[in-house]
Amino acid sequence: MTHQCGNCGCGGDFGTPAKISDTLVELEIDLVKINVPQGTSLLRAAAMAGIEIPKLCATESLEPFGSCRLCLVQVEGRRGYPASCTTPAEAGMVVKTQTPQLANIRRGVMELYISDHPLDCLMCPANGHCELQTMAGRVGLREVRYGYEGHNHLSLTKDESNPYFSYDPSKCIVCNRCVRACEQIQGTFALTIDGRGFESRVSAGQNQPFLDSECVSCGACVLSCPTATLMEKTLIEHGQTDDHIVTTCAYCGVGCSLVAEVKGDQVVNLFPNKNGHANHGHACVKGRFAWGYANHPDRLTKPMIREKITDPWREASWEQAIQFAADKFKAIQAKYGKNAIGGLVSSRCTNEEDYLVQKLVRAAFGNNNVDTCARVCHSPTGYGLSATFGTSAGTQSFDSVMDADVVMLIGVNPTDGHPVFGSQLKRRLRQGAKLVVVDPREINLVDSAHIKADFHLKLRPGTNVAMANALAHVIVGEGLYDEAFIDQRCDSQEFAKWKDFILDPRHSPEETAAITGVPAEQVRSAARLFASGGNGAIYYGLGVTEHSQGSTMVIAIANLAMATGNIGRPGVGVNPLRGQNNVQGSCDMGAFPHELPGYRHVSNDAARATFEQAWGVELQNEPGLRIPNMFEAAFDGAFKGLYCQGEDIAQSDPNTQHVEAALRAMECIVVQDLFLNETAKFAHVLLPGASFLEKDGTFTNAERRISRVRKVKAPLGGYGDWEATMMLANAMGYPMHYDHPSQIMDEIAALTPTFNGVSYQKLEQMGSIQWPCNDSAPDGTPTMHIDGFVRGKGRFMTTEYVATDEKVTRRFPLILTTGRILSQYNVGAQTRRTKNTAWHPEDILEIHPHDAEERGIVDGDWVGIQSRAGETVLHAKVSSRVQPGVVYTTFHHPFSGANVITTDNSDWATNCPEFKVTAVQVVKVALPSEWQQRYLQFRTAQENFLKRPKASADG
Ligand code: SF4
Ligand code: SF4
Ligand code: SF4
Ligand code: FES
């Protein structure tokens, strides 16, 4: 159902999309003279002049269709009554929108609609928000002459199969808006109008229930429906809302702006903000619908403490729990030294929370032992882009893709991992941009509705660098590089060195084919297309970074972009698609053991002095421990205490059994989270975390865009995460006080040059800001490196391919690689507690038909997956989306134990784990693995400790 209020700053609906043109045409509408860009529809021109023409099938997010005949107008000198939504404004036109003839026609049209529509307006959940109802009033319809005796659609049955919205065909006016939304906005083409004339009705897939069709539940059709035909079930259940607040999605790195509709203190609906700079009115099933976890009964709402992890939990007050944690931490430091404790913060937390945790560790704990989950996803991006360009962030806005001519996707699956960007990319591809996919697996974009990749370089997992070198070899060897760009913008000595390196015959596609498994001619053709096809843009994801050569590959991507001159303007660039909502922000905020906020190394005396002065403490000048080093130190008995905010290392980090053993070796683990996550089962203090609906702050998305997160309701646990960090700092003896997260942002801005111009006030004015934002760029920076690289000259670096140590052998003959799925998110703690489980109730193992047959495996079999690190058991799905020799799974369910089998191998520069390459054997089995059986026992025991807390801490 549409949201027509217009009071969230959306400015109402002008009926058809805005047109951009340097040519203005002047016309007259109802005696009002107006100038509009050429191509603007009469409907929109009238709306721009403040004149509302009745409409039903038109809405400004969709190209017009001209079916309802309600928006008819009269144009002087023209016969008939053209539809204003499909008629472009022309210079000198004189248009009338209100005449007796038009009024008659509109009433007649409306009468026909209403005569086949249930007259239960008062009982209808859309009452007061239905465009049909509004338009009936606007055209002055007072009576309907036709009864219900004839043919009608009133007895058609509802489709309730989708967990989040219902489809009631009896209310459908066949305006086609939903069909167009699915095509034009989402790009899924799941809907059609089935039947002809009177029989026509909206149909999902092949006349299937929505849930069984190709529908990906993005909600675009629901949002565009002018009636209650497609409607959110929460709105049906709770009725219309009484307030709304604009906030930012807390799932992926697209960072969609959402409008939360509330009734009292209850969130009833979330829909995409059409003024959102990252999403322009679109969302995906996660942001739009999967927010029910915020009210899930599993939420932790009371602080808990215990001495040992074999003890039941005891409820405590916040003060008691914080004091308990601080006493333990202080005792550990007194016994084992200052460096025996540390903190982890999450890329799901806000910038302000990330900043405060690293401040807590540096100022109150007195060391640099702070790390973030960006360690296990995008740390190589930071390293590689800093080394080559001078700044560790993507170079573009999402909108830049609309100027791209050739898009290269490397190790990324946007339609699942970054769905709203995926839809935008599909729009550009449908307009004719070319696509090269570099991925071991056939992602959706390789071949989907109206999209076909020009090349799919289906390489073996772990051979990215060999592939990038081969592409560069062709580009340089065939003289396709951009000499002028390189001369002007790049370090010539480094380029000469790199050129010699890359021209070596060992990097040729013919030589590397033996490594990558991709035929040389395909690589040559893809390289030629990328280098000479116009604006070339590279998008990459964890399929690049989570390798032993993750940093090398990021550098190789930067080399490719520089060599082809594809940096510094719209339509090009290097674009890391960040997995979680605030990966960029957590890195920016200095939640790394070697860097202060703004990527300044802790050994940088001047930078340290700035923070020492502001914080009133002396800071260590040596990097602290990364997550894997914390584990090693725990085994050595040198690391004993951990504060862990919003991060679930026991599920998300590789080699689970190793992580569990390290956690067991610690004496005090404080977990602050929404749920009793896997790490929390090893904790001694539990602090209830606040969901994104319960907090103020900011997230920074993959395009460096800082957006406000606004509190929609009070934190269930009583305090925001930033307040808990502050309390812990004070209890540790370091005074910390802020009244509101805006003050934390003011401190960040004062201490971080790239954030100097950022404030909540400015965010209110601008909606969002892309950093750097300072005196040189007061309105932010949509495109980086326009006139020069941040480091001065762009730096080419040699990228020798080194095969991973993780080799296939007769014992482990297959390669396991991992990825994401649309409906689930990361460790699944949030999405598993929503109705999204309708799509993905468990992780499954994809195996190629050839490998399956060899092992006697068919769809649905339980299969054991053994690696050098461990074993787990999943259900199998036989699929040729993976290549022979490669198996694939996701990691959203803890019982799956995907990380029980991943190894300790990691990126040479950053320790980012090599999640994407694990040598395994797969066999048919009948029982869960030993680890899974132990896991179930441990989980049950820990959940029972929580369900039956002993007497309170006072008792
Ligand atoms: S379901 Fe809604 S949007 Fe789609 S055709 Fe029917 S009334 Fe129009
Ligand atoms: S929810 Fe999205 S994918 Fe599904 S039919 Fe509607 S627009 Fe298409
Ligand atoms: S999950 Fe990502 S794409 Fe989906 S609504 Fe949230 S930010 Fe947007
Ligand atoms: S709004 Fe123009 S024909 Fe429907």
Side-chain angles (χ1 to χ4, degrees):
M1 195 202 67
T2 44
H3 297 261
Q4 326 173 52
C5 61
N7 57 0
C8 56
C10 69
D13 185 337
F14 280 30
T16 60
K19 296 288 170 192
I20 298 167
S21 171
D22 292 335
T23 313
L24 293 182
V25 294
E26 188 183 82
L27 70 160
E28 183 186 302
I29 305 176
D30 292 348
L31 302 179
V32 179
K33 287 218 185 316
I34 180 160
N35 286 292
V36 297
Q38 197 164 42
T40 303
S41 71
L42 288 179
L43 181 65
R44 186 173 181 94
M48 289 164 75
I51 298 161
E52 276 193 62
I53 301 175
K55 59 180 170 44
L56 271 176
C57 68
T59 181
E60 71 176 1
S61 57
L62 300 170
E63 291 302 327
F65 189 63
S67 70
C68 76
R69 315 298 294 164
L70 208 62
C71 69
L72 308 186
V73 290
Q74 286 178 278
V75 182
E76 216 172 83
R78 291 202 185 177
R79 293 175 53 185
Y81 305 95
S84 62
C85 62
T86 50
T87 308
E90 288 172 22
M93 266 183 170
V94 177
V95 181
K96 288 199 174 75
T97 74
Q98 308 295 338
T99 67
Q101 297 94 317
L102 289 171
N104 261 337
I105 298 172
R106 287 178 188 148
R107 267 196 299 275
V109 168
M110 188 53 81
E111 197 176 353
L112 283 174
Y113 278 124
I114 298 293
S115 68
D116 189 13
H117 197 85
L119 291 180
D120 60 352
C121 288
L122 281 182
M123 312 290 281
C124 178
N127 187 23
H129 294 259
C130 167
E131 286 183 50
L132 185 68
Q133 189 185 37
T134 310
M135 291 304 152
R138 194 164 297 160
V139 303
L141 187 69
R142 294 287 168 262
E143 59 168 336
V144 176
R145 287 164 293 167
Y146 323 111
Y148 283 157
E149 299 80 35
H151 270 343
N152 61 47
H153 298 90
L154 301 178
S155 57
L156 295 179
T157 47
K158 275 192 189 179
D159 173 1
E160 298 278 11
S161 62
N162 185 289
Y164 296 116
F165 59 83
S166 67
Y167 168 54
D168 181 353
S170 72
K171 292 184 169 152
C172 179
I173 57 169
V174 203
C175 66
N176 201 281
R177 274 162 66 158
C178 54
V179 178
R180 281 177 285 149
C182 192
E183 293 173 4
Q184 295 170 23
I185 299 174
Q186 167 55 27
T188 292
F189 295 81
L191 301 179
T192 48
I193 300 288
D194 194 43
R196 307 185 70 155
F198 178 80
E199 299 303 330
S200 56
R201 269 301 171 263
V202 171
S203 152
Q206 308 294 318
N207 237 326
Q208 295 160 292
F210 268 81
L211 191 61
D212 301 339
S213 72
E214 306 92 333
C215 167
V216 293
S217 201
C218 70
C221 56
V222 183
L223 193 61
S224 67
C225 181
T227 64
T229 311
L230 285 163
M231 191 156 183
E232 297 89 342
K233 287 183 176 173
T234 49
L235 280 174
I236 294 173
E237 188 185 339
H238 297 288
Q240 295 299 332
T241 54
D242 45 42
D243 200 3
H244 67 275
I245 294 146
V246 176
T247 188
T248 303
C249 178
Y251 282 121
C252 85
V254 178
C256 294
S257 178
L258 301 173
V259 181
E261 294 188 294
V262 295
K263 192 169 194 168
D265 66 348
Q266 188 171 34
V267 180
V268 172
N269 189 33
L270 255 65
F271 69 92
N273 177 8
K274 79 173 181 181
N275 289 331
H277 297 143
N279 58 322
H280 306 296
H282 192 33
C284 78
V285 60
K286 293 192 282 282
R288 172 86 153 99
F289 295 119
W291 42 269
Y293 69 88
N295 295 323
H296 196 277
D298 285 355
R299 280 286 302 271
L300 298 174
T301 55
K302 298 266 189 324
M304 304 272 175
I305 56 177
R306 61 182 176 180
E307 290 295 334
K308 303 191 297 296
I309 67 167
T310 45
D311 289 345
W313 287 103
R314 289 180 290 152
E315 242 177 65
S317 67
W318 274 91
E319 292 69 25
Q320 287 167 327
I322 294 283
Q323 198 56 53
F324 182 87
D327 290 347
K328 292 249 176 214
F329 282 160
K330 284 195 267 191
I332 289 170
Q333 286 190 308
K335 189 164 168 196
Y336 302 98
K338 193 153 76 168
N339 296 335
I341 62 173
L344 298 182
V345 71
S346 167
S347 300
R348 290 194 282 277
C349 297
T350 62
N351 286 318
E352 292 75 3
E353 289 159 355
D354 286 323
Y355 176 85
L356 270 207
V357 171
Q358 63 85 36
K359 181 174 177 180
L360 167 86
V361 171
R362 295 198 155 101
F365 292 3
N367 60 48
N368 282 318
N369 295 336
V370 60
D371 212 351
T372 163
C373 50
R375 166 76 49 222
V376 297
C377 68
H378 264 288
S379 45
T381 290
Y383 183 90
L385 297 187
S386 285
T388 48
F389 298 164
T391 189
S392 51
T395 60
Q396 311 294 123
S397 292
F398 290 130
D399 286 351
S400 159
V401 78
M402 299 313 283
D403 290 310
D405 300 306
V406 185
V407 173
M408 189 182 292
L409 299 178
I410 310 179
V412 71
N413 183 3
T415 53
D416 282 48
H418 304 84
V420 165
F421 173 69
S423 291
Q424 190 175 26
L425 170 59
K426 285 197 277 187
R427 260 197 305 287
R428 181 63 192 144
L429 294 173
R430 289 199 303 277
Q431 289 172 357
K434 305 288 184 201
L435 176 65
V436 177
V437 174
V438 184
D439 203 295
R441 182 168 167 268
E442 189 177 312
I443 59 169
N444 282 330
L445 284 166
V446 169
D447 192 0
S448 62
H450 300 269
I451 307 277
K452 193 155 178 49
D454 296 86
F455 297 99
H456 177 199
L457 308 181
K458 204 170 184 177
L459 76 180
R460 290 195 187 109
T463 64
N464 283 339
V465 173
M467 174 59 74
N469 285 346
L471 290 165
H473 178 92
V474 176
I475 291 165
V476 179
E478 297 189 6
L480 302 173
Y481 59 98
D482 188 336
E483 227 170 329
F485 179 90
I486 296 164
D487 278 355
Q488 276 172 23
R489 302 284 306 272
C490 303
D491 183 317
S492 52
Q493 279 184 354
E494 301 284 4
F495 173 68
K497 235 192 297 173
W498 177 76
K499 189 177 167 193
D500 279 353
F501 162 83
I502 211 71
L503 282 176
D504 191 290
R506 72 182 188 281
H507 300 309
S508 73
E510 290 70 21
E511 288 295 316
T512 51
I515 299 168
T516 61
V518 181
E521 203 38 49
Q522 275 188 31
V523 179
R524 284 200 175 270
S525 304
R528 288 172 194 141
L529 175 65
F530 183 73
S532 43
N535 281 342
I538 303 177
Y539 294 82
Y540 72 88
L542 305 185
V544 159
T545 53
E546 290 178 342
H547 285 275
S548 60
Q549 282 202 293
S551 292
T552 317
M553 184 58 185
V554 173
I555 291 168
I557 288 172
N559 289 340
L560 275 175
M562 288 189 290
T564 50
N566 279 313
I567 286 286
R569 62 182 186 278
V572 300
V574 173
N575 303 275
L577 293 182
R578 313 295 190 144
Q580 303 192 80
N581 51 330
N582 203 31
V583 171
Q584 183 67 57
S586 66
C587 301
D588 301 341
M589 293 299 108
F592 278 139
H594 65 298
E595 277 172 343
L596 293 159
Y599 302 98
R600 284 161 295 170
H601 202 274
V602 292
S603 63
N604 175 336
D605 292 341
R608 237 182 24 263
T610 308
F611 286 92
E612 285 175 341
Q613 197 183 5
W615 295 349
V617 287
E618 200 177 320
L619 299 176
Q620 285 187 344
N621 62 0
E622 293 281 332
L625 299 173
R626 296 170 173 178
I627 297 171
N629 307 130
M630 291 180 191
F631 298 151
E632 293 314 318
F635 288 125
D636 293 344
F639 190 81
K640 293 284 184 183
L642 185 66
Y643 173 52
C644 189
Q645 187 180 95
E647 166 63 336
D648 191 4
I649 43 177
Q651 191 183 342
S652 65
D653 284 38
N655 198 346
T656 307
Q657 299 183 84
H658 183 79
V659 177
E660 288 175 354
L663 293 174
R664 283 178 199 274
M666 295 185 204
E667 290 179 9
C668 179
I669 297 175
V670 180
V671 167
Q672 180 161 21
D673 215 295
L674 302 180
F675 305 106
L676 184 76
N677 65 19
E678 301 312 308
T679 311
K681 291 167 189 151
F682 297 89
H684 306 84
V685 181
L686 284 183
L687 301 175
S691 78
F692 82 112
L693 294 168
E694 298 157 19
K695 57 173 81 167
D696 277 307
T698 55
F699 293 147
T700 307
N701 76 354
E703 18 156 50
R704 295 167 280 103
R705 186 181 299 287
I706 306 160
S707 303
R708 272 300 310 275
V709 182
R710 293 186 180 83
K711 193 193 277 190
V712 175
K713 53 192 284 213
L716 283 191
Y719 287 107
D721 297 8
W722 62 280
E723 290 170 295
T725 309
M726 212 164 69
M727 286 190 261
L728 184 56
N730 287 320
M732 291 293 293
Y734 177 77
M736 202 188 261
H737 181 81
Y738 304 91
D739 295 314
H740 189 267
S742 63
Q743 294 171 347
I744 306 173
M745 179 52 83
D746 292 342
E747 185 173 313
I748 295 166
L751 296 174
T752 312
T754 44
F755 276 67
N756 273 169
V758 180
S759 68
Y760 277 30
Q761 196 186 3
K762 193 160 191 174
L763 285 166
E764 290 302 327
Q765 286 160 7
M766 294 186 60
S768 65
I769 303 170
Q770 286 171 277
W771 69 255
C773 173
N774 44 31
D775 286 346
S776 337
D779 292 338
T781 312
T783 308
M784 297 284 285
H785 316 300
I786 289 181
D787 298 319
F789 287 98
V790 169
R791 70 180 299 281
K793 293 281 187 184
R795 180 181 173 204
F796 282 88
M797 293 171 74
T798 57
T799 51
E800 194 66 63
Y801 166 70
V802 180
T804 166
D805 290 343
E806 185 66 8
K807 307 272 189 258
V808 290
T809 58
R810 284 177 62 168
R811 192 165 158 226
F812 301 112
L814 304 171
I815 291 283
L816 169 78
T817 191
T818 58
R820 286 160 196 261
I821 198 151
L822 170 68
S823 56
Q824 294 291 332
Y825 174 73
N826 203 265
V827 293
Q830 292 141 282
T831 42
R832 277 185 284 111
R833 291 179 173 92
T834 69
K835 293 176 181 163
N836 276 24
T837 45
W839 289 278
H840 190 72
E842 60 177 335
D843 295 314
I844 50 166
L845 187 83
E846 280 183 20
I847 182 166
H848 189 270
H850 173 77
D851 296 320
E853 195 185 334
E854 243 180 27
R855 291 164 175 77
I857 292 167
V858 295
D859 263 352
D861 276 350
W862 276 109
V863 288
I865 307 136
Q866 299 146 359
S867 75
R868 295 178 179 96
E871 179 180 0
T872 195
V873 171
L874 299 173
H875 281 114
K877 180 175 177 197
V878 180
S879 163
S880 44
R881 288 180 75 175
V882 286
Q883 51 187 288
V886 176
V887 289
Y888 169 87
T889 190
T890 48
F891 53 91
H892 304 302
H893 295 262
F895 177 71
S896 312
N899 281 330
V900 173
I901 35 185
T902 52
T903 65
D904 288 332
N905 295 337
S906 65
D907 173 45
W908 60 273
T910 64
N911 275 149
C912 183
E914 191 183 33
F915 284 125
K916 301 294 180 188
V917 185
T918 309
V920 296
Q921 177 57 292
V922 174
V923 290
K924 229 170 130 161
V925 295
L927 285 174
S929 71
E930 270 178 37
W931 177 84
Q932 282 169 312
Q933 294 176 36
R934 277 202 312 275
Y935 167 79
L936 281 182
Q937 277 174 7
F938 183 61
R939 185 177 79 182
T940 309
Q942 290 296 327
E943 284 175 353
N944 285 339
F945 287 159
L946 190 68
K947 273 183 205 147
R948 293 194 295 273
K950 268 191 176 169
S952 80
D954 293 329

